[in-house]
Amino acid sequence: MRTFRSRNKVGQIDLYIRWGLNVVPWFSFLIQAAAVVANADGSMSGRIALALVVATAAQCWVGMGLLQRALDRYLGKPAELRRRMACSMVLLAVTTGLIIALPSPTEPGVHPGLMMTMSTATPPLGAYCLLVRKRVYAVVTTVGSVLTALLFGATGATAPETVGDAVFLLFICGWIVLVVRMSGWMLAIVWEVDAAREIQARLAVAEERLRFSRDMHDVMGRNLAVIALKSELAVQLARRGSEAAVDQMAEVQRIAQESQREVREVVRGYREADLHTELVGARGVLGAAGIECRIEDAGSDRLPVPVQSALAWVVREATTNVLRHAEATRCAVRLRVMDAGARTVLVIENDGVRPAGPAPAGKGGSGLAGLRERLAVLGGTLTAGPGDRGTFRVTAEIGEAAAA
């Protein structure tokens, strides 16, 4: 349980599926082992039944590591499973031989040892279906089931019993591919969704950087080219002793000052985010990530521009943290303007906090530290830490000094 709780939701799903597959052969073994021993009569059949139980238990033990490595290989991770696969196949052959050697019951019905094939076949065939195509698996298991049923027929089983054994073995093979292959398929989808979520957060940051670089290029590119050209012209005129060089340098000075002003405007527009735009953007980004976002915006349009800009940055940073550091399903953004505009409180709260989630207030990363610096200029404060019912809460408060 300690290992389970230390993982995020995707890791918990991964661990749940893996241990579920480990339990399947043991569950069938515990149910059928007693029946196999009980149906054995005589000294020889008793020894065969005991050997079958021991070999099946060994198969279940070896199969635990085999299925884990096969799942890793199916998910594209490096995993060495040749030795375990070979050992599991040998145990499958041994258990099959013991089942065939086990005396048939006097009453008609399915061979008691045949029920053990669910335990003996799940590890090797489950790993095999994860490593090959479904058509190959279907052909191999069909041939193997028919041959095994014919071996049962050679030991004295009637034709209807042989056909029934073949159908039962085919059912077991189909059940294995349904359980194991579907589990691997669902696990692969879960990890792909988690990777896509991380990529989405990175793309949002990259898109903002591209926008800023594009604006800087549009502003500075033409002006720098003109400055370089006029500076070169001024050098040539100065060498000739022409007074026009002074006019060209004055023009260079004017363009440089204009460029400086335009750069300040671009940076100001980048830093002074719009609160309403950030709220709408947060709802869109979180919704695209499958997170329910509820926004309560009361009186944001009446706030001064510096206050809106600072709170917009809080919304942007908190939204990024939700995407990158939480497994959230719900996020609430509440903005309150109280005391006739003298105090503004912004609360952002989300669930799905990971065990090693965001650090408490005062120990956060550079993002929270930057937000505290922005709010401190306006006389505001920022707190971040655990909320109610396993949530994480970010609270920004700006008082009367900012309103003034």
Side-chain angles (χ1 to χ4, degrees):
M1 289 303 297
R2 189 179 297 111
T3 303
F4 183 82
R5 291 172 180 172
S6 64
R7 299 191 177 190
N8 58 22
K9 285 189 177 180
V10 177
Q12 291 175 353
I13 293 174
D14 183 285
L15 193 63
Y16 174 80
I17 291 177
R18 289 175 182 270
W19 278 102
L21 292 179
N22 287 337
V23 168
V24 167
W26 284 106
F27 182 76
S28 175
F29 167 74
L30 294 175
I31 292 178
Q32 300 300 330
V36 170
V37 176
N39 281 277
D41 53 351
S43 59
M44 181 58 67
S45 62
R47 294 192 189 97
I48 295 175
L50 181 60
L52 176 60
V53 170
V54 173
T56 304
Q59 176 73 295
C60 294
W61 179 261
V62 173
M64 293 175 65
L66 177 61
L67 287 175
Q68 303 310 308
R69 288 167 172 80
L71 276 174
D72 289 338
R73 181 73 65 83
Y74 183 79
L75 296 174
K77 303 176 182 178
E80 176 59 38
L81 46 77
R82 290 184 180 179
R83 294 182 180 179
R84 283 186 176 268
M85 190 68 175
C87 182
S88 184
M89 285 295 184
V90 170
L91 288 173
L92 177 61
V94 171
T95 53
T96 302
L98 292 173
I99 292 172
I100 295 174
L102 197 67
S104 301
T106 56
E107 298 180 359
V110 180
H111 194 289
L114 198 62
M115 299 296 294
M116 296 288 285
T117 55
M118 186 174 294
S119 298
T120 60
T122 296
L125 293 186
Y128 184 69
C129 75
L130 290 172
L131 301 176
V132 300
R133 296 182 178 181
K134 293 186 289 293
R135 293 181 180 179
V136 176
Y137 174 84
V139 172
V140 172
T141 53
T142 300
V143 173
S145 298
V146 172
L147 292 177
T148 305
L150 291 176
L151 290 176
F152 275 103
T155 59
T158 63
E161 290 177 342
T162 302
V163 173
D165 292 341
V167 172
F168 180 78
L169 291 173
L170 288 172
F171 169 79
I172 293 296
C173 295
W175 176 84
I176 290 174
V177 72
L178 181 65
V179 173
V180 179
R181 184 77 179 228
M182 289 293 290
S183 297
W185 176 69
M186 289 188 295
L187 196 56
I189 291 178
V190 169
W191 281 112
E192 287 179 4
V193 171
D194 184 68
R197 192 178 193 178
E198 182 69 21
I199 292 173
Q200 185 181 32
R202 293 180 181 179
L203 286 177
V205 176
E207 183 179 359
E208 185 64 18
R209 289 176 178 173
L210 287 174
R211 184 192 70 81
F212 183 72
S213 63
R214 183 176 60 250
D215 291 346
M216 289 296 295
H217 178 271
D218 294 341
V219 170
M220 297 297 296
R222 179 184 62 84
N223 291 348
L224 289 176
V226 174
I227 289 174
L229 181 61
K230 287 188 173 293
S231 298
E232 183 179 357
L233 178 58
V235 170
Q236 297 295 332
L237 292 174
R239 288 176 179 175
R240 297 174 185 175
S242 176
E243 296 181 357
V246 178
D247 297 334
Q248 294 297 328
M249 290 308 300
E251 183 68 13
V252 168
Q253 183 183 16
R254 186 191 65 79
I255 296 175
Q257 293 173 349
E258 181 69 17
S259 300
Q260 188 179 19
R261 183 187 62 80
E262 291 178 352
V263 168
R264 282 198 297 266
E265 291 180 355
V266 171
V267 174
R268 187 182 301 112
Y270 179 73
R271 290 181 176 175
E272 293 183 359
D274 180 69
L275 179 57
H276 178 72
T277 302
E278 291 300 328
L279 290 174
V280 174
R283 176 181 292 170
V285 171
L286 294 176
I291 303 173
E292 178 186 354
C293 182
R294 181 168 55 89
I295 296 178
E296 299 178 9
D297 181 8
S300 62
D301 53 342
R302 301 193 303 269
L303 296 174
V305 174
V307 175
Q308 290 194 34
S309 177
L311 295 180
W313 274 98
V314 175
V315 173
R316 181 183 297 183
E317 181 68 22
T319 302
T320 303
N321 289 339
V322 170
L323 291 173
R324 297 183 61 183
H325 303 304
E327 299 289 342
T329 58
R330 297 185 305 275
C331 181
V333 181
R334 298 184 294 272
L335 178 66
R336 294 286 185 270
V337 180
M338 297 176 287
D339 301 334
R343 190 164 64 98
T344 303
V345 179
L346 174 67
V347 179
I348 303 173
E349 189 172 11
N350 63 275
D351 63 352
V353 181
R354 297 177 182 176
K363 299 182 181 179
S366 59
L368 294 179
L371 293 179
R372 290 190 178 94
E373 292 176 0
R374 290 177 182 274
L375 294 175
V377 174
L378 301 174
T381 59
L382 179 76
T383 58
D388 299 332
R389 300 180 181 179
T391 62
F392 188 81
R393 181 183 299 165
V394 176
T395 304
E397 183 173 351
I398 301 177
E400 295 182 358

